[in-house]
């Protein structure tokens, strides 16, 4: 099917563009004397969400807010159900440091805020949507999250497991910016926007061909595809026994999706919650709420049985959602 092949091509360009952008920005930052720790926590951490951001911006500009909604919520669900579940299947994920532990309540709060703001319309007898005022409040919440990240960086908690893991993945380069770094950044941005345009156009074509809502394509095709960087990063981190990095990647990506990707789209064009979208938000919140007691109570460990349960839960949700249209 040409539309599906077009989506695959668009996703490949998105992931490739994101990788080039992250590499170029990371190298440029280190040559300018920025701490590798900061690079790891910001550029590399949020860079894996670049495909979702570009897809949603282009979708909002073209009025395809249903696909944009499905991309964000679907990405959040797949990050928790597929990515975290797959990482736990590779090796049990144990929470060892304080940095990620402090992010978990903020993560649940961000997920709750997104759901409440989308549902405040029905409480007033209006259609469910994320409006411009909601988007501004969500972005302000992201500023609070950055404040806590800055406090962690200021304290430079050398014993924290997350910082140790990130420090092992970053290298300080020789000073002196090069044209090559700028070419990587520009080329990455170009591939991102080209891939986003191709993905949006073929996503709409596929939804029309299959006779389903664009949100379905966003939830289970575009969202899963744009979550591939998170999947690769978390699985590799889990294999290397870097549990805090595997978990922190998922948590950071979902926070970025909820507090930046979705509200940026909502500022461009208010995002109406499509049919079945309320259920998607509930599933997203339930998965977020489920991991909180796992890591904050008891052994603070997500074992293989729990990882398999997360994957099965995602599969059941996908089957029910797709069959329901």
């Amino acid at each position: 099917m040409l539309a599906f092949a077009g989506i695959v091509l668009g996703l490949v360009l998105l992931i490739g563009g994101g990788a080039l952008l992250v590499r170029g920005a990371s190298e440029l930052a280190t040559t300018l004397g920025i701490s590798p720790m900061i690079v790891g926590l910001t550029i590399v951490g949020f860079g894996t969400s670049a495909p979702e951001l570009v897809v949603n911006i282009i979708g909002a500009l073209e009025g395809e807010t249903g696909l944009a909604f499905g991309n964000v919520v679907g990405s959040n669900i797949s990050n928790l159900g597929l990515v975290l579940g797959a990482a736990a299947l590779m090796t049990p994920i144990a929470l060892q440091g304080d940095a990620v532990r402090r992010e978990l309540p903020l993560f649940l709060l961000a997920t709750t805020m997104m759901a409440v703001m989308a549902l405040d319309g029905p409480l007033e007898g209006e259609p469910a949507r994320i409006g411009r005022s909601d988007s501004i409040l969500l972005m302000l919440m992201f500023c609070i999250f950055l404040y806590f990240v800055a406090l962690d960086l200021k304290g430079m908690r050398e014993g924290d497991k997350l910082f140790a893991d990130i420090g092992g993945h970053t290298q300080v380069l020789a000073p002196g910016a090069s044209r090559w770094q700028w070419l990587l950044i520009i080329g990455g941005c170009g591939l991102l926007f080209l891939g986003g345009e191709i993905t949006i156009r073929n996503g709409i074509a596929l939804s029309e061909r299959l006779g389903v809502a664009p949100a379905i394509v966003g939830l289970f095709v575009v969202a899963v595809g744009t979550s591939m960087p998170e999947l690769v990063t978390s699985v590799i981190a889990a294999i290397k026994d870097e549990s805090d990095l595997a978990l922190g990647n998922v948590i950071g990506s979902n926070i970025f999706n909820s507090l930046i990707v979705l509200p940026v789209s909502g500022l461009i064009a208010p995002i109406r919650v499509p049919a079945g979208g309320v259920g998607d938000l509930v599933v997203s919140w339930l998965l977020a709420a489920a991991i909180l007691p796992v890591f904050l109570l008891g052994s603070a460990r997500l074992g293989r049985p729990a990882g398999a349960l997360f994957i099965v839960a995602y599969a059941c949700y996908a089957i029910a959602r797709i069959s329901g249209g």
Side-chain angles (χ1 to χ4, degrees):
M1 191 179 295
L2 290 178
F4 184 78
I7 292 177
V8 172
L9 173 60
L11 292 173
V12 169
L13 292 175
L14 282 166
I15 294 172
L20 288 179
L21 177 61
V22 167
R23 179 180 173 183
S26 300
E27 292 185 2
L28 181 61
T30 51
T31 58
L32 295 177
I34 298 175
S35 166
M37 189 71 70
I38 296 176
V39 172
L41 283 170
T42 55
I43 297 174
V44 176
F46 294 140
T48 55
S49 291
E52 288 95 333
L53 178 60
V54 172
V55 166
N56 270 43
I57 289 175
I58 295 176
L61 288 171
E62 297 186 1
E64 299 296 341
T65 57
L67 195 149
F69 173 88
N71 181 38
V72 167
V73 180
S75 180
N76 284 357
I77 294 174
S78 63
N79 280 346
L80 294 172
L82 289 181
V83 176
L84 194 59
L89 278 180
M90 299 301 298
T91 183
I93 298 177
L95 182 58
Q96 298 170 306
D98 292 328
V100 177
R101 191 184 302 273
R102 282 187 294 274
E103 287 185 5
L104 284 170
L106 288 173
F107 161 61
L108 182 59
L109 178 59
T111 305
T112 304
M113 286 181 62
M114 182 178 69
V116 170
M117 288 180 175
L119 300 177
D120 61 358
L123 294 176
E124 300 295 334
E126 300 176 357
R129 69 171 192 167
I130 297 289
R132 290 188 171 90
S133 59
D134 296 328
S135 299
I136 292 172
L137 289 175
L138 288 172
M139 295 180 77
L140 289 175
M141 180 62 189
F142 184 73
C143 294
I144 296 175
F145 169 71
L146 289 181
Y147 170 75
F148 283 102
V149 171
L151 285 182
D152 281 333
L153 289 172
K154 185 178 180 181
M156 290 301 290
R157 295 171 173 83
E158 298 293 343
D160 195 281
K161 187 68 167 56
L162 177 63
F163 289 172
D165 291 345
I166 291 177
H169 283 266
T170 54
Q171 298 178 348
V172 178
L173 304 178
S178 69
R179 294 180 180 177
W180 174 247
Q181 294 161 1
W182 286 108
L183 287 175
L184 287 176
I185 294 173
I186 295 171
C189 289
L191 287 179
L192 279 169
F193 282 99
L194 177 60
E197 180 68 24
I198 293 174
T199 301
I200 289 293
R201 292 189 179 279
N202 285 278
I204 299 304
L206 181 62
S207 69
E208 293 175 350
R209 182 72 178 270
L210 297 177
V212 299
I216 297 294
V217 175
L219 281 164
F220 299 108
V221 180
V222 179
V224 173
T226 55
S227 292
M228 286 299 103
E230 287 90 344
L231 176 62
V232 172
T233 300
S234 292
V235 168
I236 292 176
I239 293 173
K240 293 183 177 181
D241 196 27
E242 296 172 341
S243 298
D244 277 39
L245 184 57
L247 178 60
N249 175 58
V250 169
I251 299 303
S253 177
N254 278 26
I255 289 176
F256 191 77
N257 285 341
S258 302
L259 302 182
I260 288 294
V261 177
L262 188 66
V264 164
S265 310
L267 284 176
I268 297 172
I271 298 177
R272 291 187 176 274
V273 177
V278 173
D280 300 327
L281 289 169
V282 171
V283 170
S284 177
W285 187 89
L286 288 175
L287 287 174
I291 71 169
L292 214 64
V294 170
F295 289 109
L296 296 185
L297 302 175
S299 62
R301 182 174 179 270
L302 185 69
R304 289 189 175 91
L309 184 60
F310 270 66
I311 293 178
V312 170
Y314 178 84
C316 292
Y317 156 72
I319 293 171
R321 186 69 170 89
I322 293 173
S323 61

